[in-house]
Amino acid sequence: MGLFDVFKKKEAPAAPAKPAAVAAEAAAGVLCAPVSGRVIKMTDVPDPVFSGEVLGRGCAVWPEDEMVYAPVSGTVTVTMGHAVGIQGDDGVEVLVHVGVDTVNLQGKGFTGYVKQGDAVKAGDPVIKMDRAVIAEAGYADCVVLAVSNTAEFASVELAVEPESTVAAGAAVVKVSK
Amino acid sequence: MVTFSYTVRGAMGLHARPVAELATAARAWESEIWIVVGARRSSARDLMGLMALDARCGDELAVSVAGPDEDAAAEALREVLTF
């Protein structure tokens, strides 16, 4: 390589670096915390569609961090800016919904790292939220974890005490047939 | 079988809240209820399937209802399709 080849080289566009994954306590029938923070019961989410478990049983986490991770390993079926749906390898369908009414932000304040059809592992980063943008819009930023095919399971239960603080990737919900 | 179409009006399309309403309504009936958007199809009872349709404002939903209570079910669905 000649000296001047250095100057001929086109500069590669700076790709947004994908954040690192976290270690997840992944197992069949286990949903991991999508974000670090305080776990609450689904029935305590400040929105009737979630608290009424219309979108399924599960839990929510009041975040202490902005990075949201896949709760299960599987295939991405839905991406909506503020939400991601994953078809788990073990048959569980999980919706990770960041915040309440955040659909109205039309993606503002959210960075997505996955697209429909992607394979993900539990603990892989899926969305980064800007909590300041959500707060400024007046929305709650709790991250809801809902098993959308709850009807196919005998039980969907919390695996930790409500109000306990967990790290992203910790086992928080157990699902059994 | 009863079929009809509905054009999504809500600026946010078929997101979690309308999907929850639609699936809840669909589950009250015995009939099979399918929603088709372009090349994608989902049971109206399937929350994740409905969200994966990725229906946006202006998209047309083709609704088909087939079963013993199809007339009443179609009527009820027309009432919840307001988004």
Side-chain angles (χ1 to χ4, degrees):
Chain A
M1 188 196 277
L3 176 65
F4 293 99
D5 288 347
V6 174
F7 302 106
K8 284 185 208 157
K9 214 186 238 171
K10 276 230 174 98
E11 249 182 65
K18 189 162 178 171
V22 291
E25 295 170 10
V30 167
L31 273 54
C32 302
V35 66
S36 298
R38 180 168 56 90
V39 177
I40 59 167
K41 293 188 275 189
M42 185 67 91
T43 50
D44 290 336
V45 174
D47 183 287
V49 171
F50 291 119
S51 64
E53 299 184 325
V54 182
L55 284 161
R57 292 171 61 99
C59 71
V61 182
W62 285 104
E64 286 174 358
D65 189 16
E66 297 196 321
M67 195 62 71
V68 179
Y69 302 90
V72 294
S73 298
T75 307
V76 175
T77 52
V78 174
T79 54
M80 287 193 290
H82 65 295
V84 169
I86 299 170
Q87 165 78 55
D89 293 334
D90 57 359
V92 66
E93 294 176 6
V94 191
L95 178 70
V96 180
H97 193 281
V98 182
V100 171
D101 287 325
T102 40
V103 65
N104 298 323
L105 292 170
Q106 302 188 53
K108 185 174 166 241
F110 296 99
T111 307
Y113 300 108
V114 293
K115 58 182 190 308
Q116 215 172 31
D118 281 0
V120 291
K121 285 218 171 337
D124 282 353
V126 290
I127 295 174
K128 185 171 191 243
M129 63 172 134
D130 186 330
R131 295 178 67 196
V133 169
I134 298 170
E136 198 180 323
Y139 299 131
D141 62 5
C142 66
V143 179
V144 176
L145 183 59
V147 175
S148 60
N149 61 343
T150 287
E152 295 176 24
F153 296 93
S155 76
V156 177
E157 302 293 342
L158 268 178
V160 295
E161 286 298 312
E163 306 297 331
S164 58
T165 299
V166 298
V172 287
V173 172
K174 280 206 162 73
V175 175
S176 58
K177 283 270 185 192
Chain B
M1 185 163 79
V2 181
T3 61
F4 61 96
S5 66
Y6 176 78
T7 303
V8 178
R9 292 197 293 260
M12 307 311 158
L14 209 51
H15 63 95
R17 200 178 299 280
V19 158
E21 285 175 24
L22 182 54
T24 301
R27 286 171 182 182
W29 305 94
E30 215 180 307
S31 294
E32 288 284 312
I33 303 168
W34 293 95
I35 309 285
V36 175
V37 182
R40 302 181 207 235
R41 185 176 94 130
S42 172
S43 162
R45 294 185 177 86
D46 179 354
L47 292 161
M48 194 65 83
L50 289 173
M51 281 185 267
L53 291 173
D54 196 25
R56 311 290 178 91
C57 182
D59 283 352
E60 190 174 285
L61 311 183
V63 184
S64 65
V65 187
D69 51 10
E70 59 192 30
D71 290 321
E75 195 54 42
L77 284 171
R78 280 197 181 93
E79 275 175 35
V80 299
L81 286 168
T82 55
F83 41 79

